Amino acid sequence: LCKLRSFLPSLKKPVPTQLATLLVYKIKCPSCPACYVGWTNRHLTTRFGEHRSKKAGPVRRHFDQCVQRRATWDDIDILCKTTRSIPFLQTLEALFIRDCKPSLNTRDEFTSRELLIEFWPNFLLSPMGHRTLFHCFKHDAITFIFHFRINC
């Protein structure tokens, strides 16, 4: 059944980008390297509209000064989509902020968010006898543990 799905086309139409939810996005300036990384659990159109309309917001303020226009859909990229929880989405955002180093993210709780990433150096033997590696990281008092099965 699983293989059959890979051959048959999906009858469900894909969700348009503007209606996508539970994602991390990046708004980039077309004339300089400045960018903003954020997350939303609402429609992207709603959140993007807030960035475009808030006169005191960092994205609108930068676009008004730098390119003398409002941000358009060409200026936004979806970095990651998920179906998981909001804390997981916030963690993804923190990882992208750390990676992209966006200059338009001004709120301290986002720019100073630090993730503690620990790798357990030893492989552990699972009850089934498989070699297993655990990857654990903490964010906002929530610990995420990823379990990787190593086939050796």
Side-chain angles (χ1 to χ4, degrees), residues 20-49:
T21 59
L22 291 170
L23 53 88
V24 178
Y25 60 92
K26 178 168 121 176
I27 301 173
K28 55 193 181 324
C29 179
S31 63
C32 74
C35 66
Y36 176 89
V37 173
W39 68 274
T40 186
N41 60 342
R42 299 176 291 159
H43 290 148
L44 185 57
T45 255
T46 304
R47 185 66 183 113
F48 189 50

Side-chain angles (χ1 to χ4, degrees), residues 57-134:
V59 174
R60 167 86 183 263
R61 195 171 49 240
H62 177 80
F63 270 75
D64 286 348
Q65 292 172 357
C66 190
V67 287
Q68 289 85 36
R69 67 167 175 84
R70 290 188 183 180
T72 65
W73 284 103
D74 293 332
D75 304 321
I76 194 165
D77 291 327
I78 295 177
L79 300 176
C80 183
K81 290 183 186 180
T82 186
T83 57
R84 299 184 68 180
S85 66
I86 289 175
F88 184 80
L89 196 60
Q90 291 170 330
T91 302
L92 288 174
E93 178 202 30
L95 289 169
F96 280 111
I97 286 174
R98 190 178 68 181
D99 187 46
C100 298
K101 297 175 182 48
S103 60
L104 299 180
N105 286 72
T106 57
R107 293 178 56 187
D108 286 338
E109 66 261 23
F110 298 121
T111 55
S112 66
R113 184 182 299 155
E114 193 155 323
L115 297 174
L116 172 65
I117 299 176
E118 302 172 9
F119 284 99
W120 295 356
N122 297 330
F123 289 98
L124 303 174
L125 220 50
S126 72
M128 299 293 286
H130 300 291
R131 291 176 57 167
T132 306
L133 177 65
F134 290 91

Side-chain angles (χ1 to χ4, degrees), residues 1-9:
L1 182 66
C2 187
K3 290 181 181 180
L4 185 59
R5 282 189 195 156
S6 64
F7 290 112
L8 296 176

Side-chain angles (χ1 to χ4, degrees), residues 84 120 133-137 142-148:
R84 299 184 68 180
W120 295 356
L133 177 65
F134 290 91
H135 175 205
C136 169
F137 65 90
I142 299 171
T143 302
F144 295 87
I145 299 175
F146 291 95
H147 174 262
F148 298 99

